[in-house]
Amino acid sequence: MQRLYDFIRRHPTGVDTFWAVVFLGFSLLWVASSVTTGHPVAYGLVAVLFSLVVALRRRAPEKMLLLAVALGLVQVGLDLAPFLADFAMLVIVFTVAAHDGPRWASRLALVAGLLAAPIAQVRWPVEDPSSGPAKIFFTVIMAVPFALAWVLGDSLRTRRAYFAQLEERASRLEREREAQAKVAVAAERARIARELHDVVAHNVSVMVVQADGAAYVMDSSPETAKQALETISTTGRQALAEMRRLLGILRTGEHQEAGEYVPQPDVKQIEDLVEQVRSAGLTVDFAIEGSPRPLPSGVELTAYRIVQEALTNTRKHGGPDVGASVRLVYFDDGLGLLVEDDGRGAPQEMYEDGGADGRGHGLIGMRERIGMVGGTLDAGPRPGGGFRISALLPLKPAH
């Protein structure tokens, strides 16, 4: 049954032609049996043309409507009384009303259908001694089928347009969801890129410094070289753990534990970060002011990464015997960060526009992180030498 239905939908003109042939056969039989005087050939020609209207009603509905109206006028002019072929008028009225075409055609179909019965009553009055009101009632009854055909067709057109609008809206929403998903993926990849930059830049920098120191004191102080190698091993494991966590996020359901190897760094781990930097040979003064309290995870991660990036830049650009200081200040409505060094610093352009080599993140990465939590950043050379990074991360008022 489904195959038959699909065939009918794929070949509408063929189906209409089949019914037109059947319709023509019955019309010609009616002409042969009922028309004994008058114009049998004219009746037959009109029947053939009305069958053509049925056959091509969906291929050219407006043209077939005009042909049907013209045939009706020919019948009136040649005095061809209504017969079976006139049923095609109902078919074409329904088709034009259901077709999503020009509105003038639909209106013409309605007017022609409603006028067909009164014109037929005037041109071929029924020989009946009944009163005038009865004839009017009979005319109205004959016009009802045309009105119903138009109403059904117009309802079908409206319903089809409604479903088409729903499909278009669903398609648009699907495209919007895909676009939002792409934006989310791009944002996540950018976040992971920033995380990888911070992890690699910091930990690899520590490992390089320790490796250089170990190579320098290998012969003169084996114990110091051993401690440096242990620091390299610990730092490498931490870097691998964080990179494994970040790369695990990119896995799409391979493992349930993907992305859960280690927790996100927070403010409490800044002290461990400072100790790690101190063990690498950098003098760092660390202090906390105010009353520490739990912070939103995004703020804690941002604070940790800013301090990490600032200390990494101090090691890379501060020069020999550089010292640094880290201050965390808890305000009622914010967390302040101040990272300074007294080294020779680096040119401002090293921090901006992706770094001098075009590959670094520098201040751009810091500003992106702080912008995500609605904070502010002030960074630049410090009077008297060195570099200063000051940030304010907004918090909800403490309760």
Side-chain angles (χ1 to χ4, degrees):
M1 193 65 182
Q2 184 63 33
R3 291 182 179 179
L4 177 61
Y5 180 69
D6 293 338
F7 177 82
I8 292 175
R9 293 188 62 183
R10 289 195 304 268
H11 304 86
T13 304
V15 175
D16 291 340
T17 301
F18 169 78
W19 288 114
V21 171
V22 174
F23 178 70
L24 177 60
F26 280 105
S27 298
L28 293 179
L29 286 177
W30 184 90
V31 171
S33 61
S34 301
V35 180
T36 56
T37 61
H39 310 279
V41 176
Y43 275 105
L45 182 58
V46 171
V48 170
L49 293 177
F50 268 128
S51 300
L52 182 64
V53 170
V54 175
L56 301 179
R57 66 185 183 93
R58 280 188 279 192
R59 180 177 291 274
E62 291 83 13
K63 294 180 180 179
M64 293 302 102
L65 172 64
L66 295 176
L67 178 58
V69 172
L71 290 175
L73 296 177
V74 168
Q75 280 188 261
V76 174
L78 297 180
D79 194 18
L80 303 178
F83 66 115
L84 185 61
D86 291 312
F87 183 78
M89 280 293 296
L90 280 175
V91 176
I92 194 60
V93 167
F94 169 81
T95 302
V96 171
H99 180 64
D100 189 17
R103 298 305 297 165
W104 66 263
S106 178
R107 296 189 184 98
L108 176 60
L110 177 61
V111 172
L114 294 178
L115 291 179
I119 291 175
Q121 181 65 24
V122 172
R123 185 67 176 86
W124 301 281
V126 179
E127 296 181 0
D128 189 352
S130 58
S131 61
K135 292 182 179 181
I136 294 175
F137 177 76
F138 176 76
T139 302
V140 172
I141 292 298
M142 293 300 296
V144 167
F146 292 97
L148 289 178
W150 186 90
V151 170
L152 290 176
D154 190 69
S155 299
L156 180 61
R157 181 191 60 81
T158 303
R159 183 180 180 87
R160 203 159 44 222
Y162 174 73
F163 280 117
Q165 184 180 14
L166 289 181
E167 291 177 357
E168 192 277 334
R169 182 181 301 174
S171 177
R172 186 175 65 252
L173 291 176
E174 184 66 23
R175 291 194 299 269
E176 290 177 357
R177 280 195 295 268
E178 292 178 358
Q180 292 173 357
K182 290 180 181 179
V183 171
V185 169
E188 182 66 10
R189 287 179 177 176
R191 186 188 69 82
I192 293 173
R194 288 192 298 268
E195 294 290 315
L196 286 174
H197 167 266
D198 294 339
V199 171
V200 172
H202 173 75
N203 291 287
V204 172
S205 177
V206 172
M207 293 167 67
V208 170
V209 171
Q210 293 293 329
D212 290 342
Y216 182 75
V217 300
M218 181 67 71
D219 296 329
S220 61
S221 180
E223 193 64 31
T224 302
K226 179 181 178 181
Q227 293 177 358
L229 293 176
E230 289 177 352
T231 301
I232 292 174
S233 176
T234 302
T235 304
R237 288 192 180 93
Q238 291 177 353
L240 285 176
E242 287 207 52
M243 291 178 67
R244 190 177 297 118
R245 172 181 62 81
L246 293 172
L247 296 177
I249 297 174
L250 298 177
R251 301 176 183 174
T252 55
E254 292 182 9
H255 303 286
Q256 291 296 327
E257 67 273 12
E260 298 179 359
Y261 293 100
V262 294
Q264 292 274 19
D266 54 23
V267 172
K268 296 180 181 178
Q269 295 184 32
I270 292 180
E271 188 171 0
D272 297 334
L273 174 65
V274 170
E275 290 297 329
Q276 184 186 47
V277 173
R278 287 171 177 168
S279 66
L282 179 65
T283 301
V284 182
D285 180 29
F286 177 67
I288 298 177
E289 302 177 9
S291 301
R293 59 184 182 275
L295 306 175
S297 59
V299 172
E300 297 212 8
L301 177 61
T302 299
Y304 180 91
R305 292 304 187 198
I306 290 175
V307 174
Q308 185 183 53
E309 176 73 15
L311 293 177
T312 300
N313 289 337
T314 298
R315 274 200 311 271
K316 291 167 60 178
H317 307 299
D321 302 326
V322 64
S325 65
V326 177
R327 295 287 184 273
L328 299 183
V329 183
Y330 286 88
F331 300 105
D332 290 339
D333 58 351
L335 174 66
L337 298 174
L338 179 63
V339 183
E340 296 180 302
D341 67 70
D342 55 7
R344 65 186 181 206
Q348 182 77 11
E349 58 268 17
M350 290 292 294
Y351 293 88
E352 296 179 341
D353 299 328
D357 58 359
R359 294 190 295 269
H361 283 275
L363 291 180
I364 295 178
M366 289 187 185
R367 294 190 190 280
E368 287 180 354
R369 286 188 176 279
I370 293 178
M372 289 190 298
V373 296
T376 58
L377 175 69
D378 182 21
R382 195 179 68 153
F387 205 85
R388 171 186 293 149
I389 294 177
S390 176
L392 178 61
L393 309 180
L395 304 174
K396 294 181 179 180
H399 295 287

